């Protein structure tokens, strides 16, 4: 992955992208010269993307969506049957302490809510669980996808 937008940095000469991320008609919005590849190169690479979209090009979470689908998905992903699901599928090193504290505040304020994070390495997961407990969320109300 990379940052999907201009850096605005005058010392960066080119921006490697595709026509989906950086359409040629948007070149004027980039400080860098667009270097467009012929195919899509910057799709999310985590296994979750392939589970959700597969090869269909559609979005299995919303195409033909109904309440039964939501209940089935929640069971499959080991989420509670109802209640808010706060999600962040960023790598753990991108999670900032201040943001994590806001999520913990939300978990305490929203009964039945859970925090669903990207599965990381065991050390980062253990650290997040420790920080959740230190932040007053003793019974971890979350999961790793």
């Amino acid at each position: 992955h990379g940052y999907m937008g201009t850096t605005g940095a005058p010392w960066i000469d080119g921006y490697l992208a595709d026509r989906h991320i950086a359409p040629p008609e948007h070149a004027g919005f980039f400080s860098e010269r667009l270097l467009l590849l012929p195919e899509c190169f910057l799709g999310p690479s985590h296994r979750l993307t392939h589970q959700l979209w597969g090869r269909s090009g559609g979005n299995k979470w919303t195409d033909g969506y109904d309440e039964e689908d939501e209940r089935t998905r929640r069971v499959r992903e080991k989420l509670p049957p109802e209640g808010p699901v706060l999600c962040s599928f960023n790598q753990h090193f991108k999670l900032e302490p201040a943001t994590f504290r806001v999520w913990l505040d939300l978990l305490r304020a929203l009964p039945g809510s859970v925090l669903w994070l990207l599965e990381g390495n065991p050390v980062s997961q253990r650290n997040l669980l420790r920080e959740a407990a230190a932040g007053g969320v003793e019974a971890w109300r979350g999961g790793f996808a």
Side-chain angles (χ1 to χ4, degrees):
H1 288 88
Y3 177 72
M4 295 185 286
T6 186
T7 64
W11 59 88
I12 298 179
D13 297 322
Y15 181 84
L16 187 63
D18 61 49
R19 63 183 172 81
H20 303 286
I21 299 298
E25 61 269 21
H26 292 177
F29 299 111
F30 285 79
S31 61
E32 308 85 0
R33 188 174 115 238
L34 291 183
L35 306 168
L36 299 179
L37 297 172
E39 301 293 331
C40 181
F41 88 106
L42 191 62
S45 62
H46 189 266
R47 63 183 163 79
L48 180 62
T49 301
H50 304 291
Q51 292 169 358
L52 297 180
W53 285 276
R55 296 180 184 198
S56 69
N59 182 333
K60 293 179 184 176
W61 284 97
T62 57
D63 293 351
Y65 176 84
D66 64 31
E67 289 184 26
E68 181 60 33
D69 288 340
E70 181 180 346
R71 283 191 295 273
T72 301
R73 281 190 209 97
R74 282 175 172 260
V75 167
R76 181 179 62 237
E77 299 299 336
K78 298 177 181 69
L79 295 169
E82 54 188 49
V85 178
L86 310 173
C87 300
S88 175
F89 298 128
N90 286 302
Q91 296 178 54
H92 294 172
F93 73 87
K94 295 182 178 181
L95 304 180
E96 296 182 353
T99 302
F100 197 70
R101 283 191 297 272
V102 168
W103 294 341
L104 296 179
D105 290 344
L106 289 168
L107 288 173
R108 287 190 302 273
L110 298 168
S113 62
V114 295
L115 178 59
W116 199 22
L117 301 173
L118 181 68
E119 184 177 274
N121 70 58
V123 173
S124 65
Q125 287 182 202
R126 185 180 63 237
N127 290 342
L128 289 169
L129 294 172
R130 184 190 66 230
E131 291 302 314
V137 181
E138 292 297 327
W140 171 243
R141 294 198 336 248
F144 297 99

